[in-house]
Amino acid sequence: YAGINQDITISFNNRVQWMRVTPQPTPFRTHDISIYGAIPRHRIGTGFSVFVDQEGEGNLKTISFQIPFSYSVVLASKGGKTSSVLRFGLQPSIGKKTINWDKLVFSDQLDPLYGNIYPTSALPEGVEKRGILNCSAGVLFEGGFLMFNKSKNTRADGSRFSAGIALHHITEPRVSLIENPKSYIPRRYTVHLFVHKELKSKEVEGTPKIITLGTIWQRHETGSESPGLFNTSNLILSYTLPSFLLGCGYRNQLYFKK
């Protein structure tokens, strides 16, 4: 949810790997830059994200541009602080996938002794580029424990909980360059629940200490030649201190073949 922390977030990631696999320098490169921010007066958040990925000597390249948008509805407030809020998030994206067929090597081009010396008869039955339209959406509810306390004299603290659901890849875009109808990005469903408890301290000022316990459940189809379902469960525990954060997690993934 863009702008959920009421600040500006800027991130940049660059990954270069398997540099010695092929003669081509850095054949596997991934770049990602994103900027998110909030407009508190209008209770909205937005930004943009650009993702570029290049794979192998065939220059299989994927480019994606995303513009997330979020809107918050204050349901209740207490003690001058928001006690419960409902957030809506939408993330449309547009992109394309391209490949250079001339740089690929097929098995009928190879000689056991001399390598790649023959012309290929494996003409590509596909396209050199494909547009990708995608969209994801979600709903998040955040509430403080004070919403269950009717006393007006209770001091507000940072203890809160959150619950949300999200649907990813709503359009299930096709990504195949060889016209394979089974090659698409399947929908993914996410449900999460987190509880954040602020620990009491005699210090009035300073960053509070918060312990967090949460769970995330995801489900998606494989969308391939061997259809099935993946169910992934995550259990997360973290402890936030003024200068750093400690955490651990457990993940379990189950596959069910159709």
Side-chain angles (χ1 to χ4, degrees), residues 10 16 28 32 37 67 87 99 128 144 156 159 162 175 185 235 240:
I10 301 176
V16 178
F28 296 88
D32 180 23
I67 303 179
R87 305 183 191 275
I99 193 171
E128 291 189 351
S159 299
S162 63
V175 294
I185 304 177
L235 184 63
T240 304

Side-chain angles (χ1 to χ4, degrees), residues 43-151:
R43 299 193 298 274
I44 64 175
T46 187
F48 73 90
S49 175
V50 180
F51 173 82
V52 180
D53 182 69
Q54 182 175 328
E55 306 173 50
E57 293 189 36
N59 287 334
L60 177 61
K61 181 179 291 186
T62 303
I63 301 176
S64 177
F65 182 76
Q66 303 174 349
I67 303 179
F69 176 82
S70 67
Y71 182 75
S72 302
V73 179
V74 177
L75 301 179
S77 59
K78 192 172 185 178
K81 292 186 177 183
T82 300
S83 59
S84 62
V85 60
L86 189 64
R87 305 183 191 275
F88 302 90
L90 184 67
Q91 182 171 280
S93 68
I94 184 172
K96 69 175 182 178
K97 178 173 287 190
T98 60
I99 193 171
N100 188 339
W101 293 107
D102 295 333
K103 291 189 176 182
L104 297 180
V105 178
F106 298 91
S107 59
D108 61 348
Q109 296 178 262
L110 300 177
D111 181 88
L113 295 178
Y114 301 104
N116 181 13
I117 61 173
Y118 301 120
T120 181
S121 60
L123 298 177
E125 297 180 358
V127 294
E128 291 189 351
K129 62 180 178 179
R130 175 175 292 280
I132 302 175
L133 294 176
N134 204 349
C135 186
S136 300
V139 179
L140 173 68
F141 174 80
E142 291 182 309
F145 291 107
L146 288 180
M147 63 181 296
F148 303 108
N149 193 328
K150 303 302 181 181
S151 176

Side-chain angles (χ1 to χ4, degrees), residues 168-215:
H168 310 266
H169 314 304
I170 298 175
T171 59
E172 293 191 322
R174 294 175 59 187
V175 294
S176 175
L177 294 170
I178 57 173
E179 303 298 336
N180 181 5
K182 295 184 179 181
S183 180
Y184 63 94
I185 304 177
R187 292 191 183 102
R188 186 174 80 250
Y189 306 88
T190 302
V191 179
H192 82 262
L193 174 64
F194 279 85
V195 177
H196 313 271
K197 176 60 178 175
E198 180 177 337
L199 303 180
K200 294 182 179 180
S201 175
K202 296 182 180 180
E203 298 179 3
V204 179
E205 299 180 354
T207 304
K209 300 176 181 179
I210 299 176
I211 187 169
T212 300
L213 178 64
T215 180

Side-chain angles (χ1 to χ4, degrees), residues 213-232:
L213 178 64
T215 180
I216 303 174
W217 176 83
Q218 293 183 329
R219 177 177 179 174
H220 69 91
E221 296 183 358
T222 57
S224 63
E225 299 289 344
S226 179
L229 290 173
F230 274 109
N231 284 338
T232 305

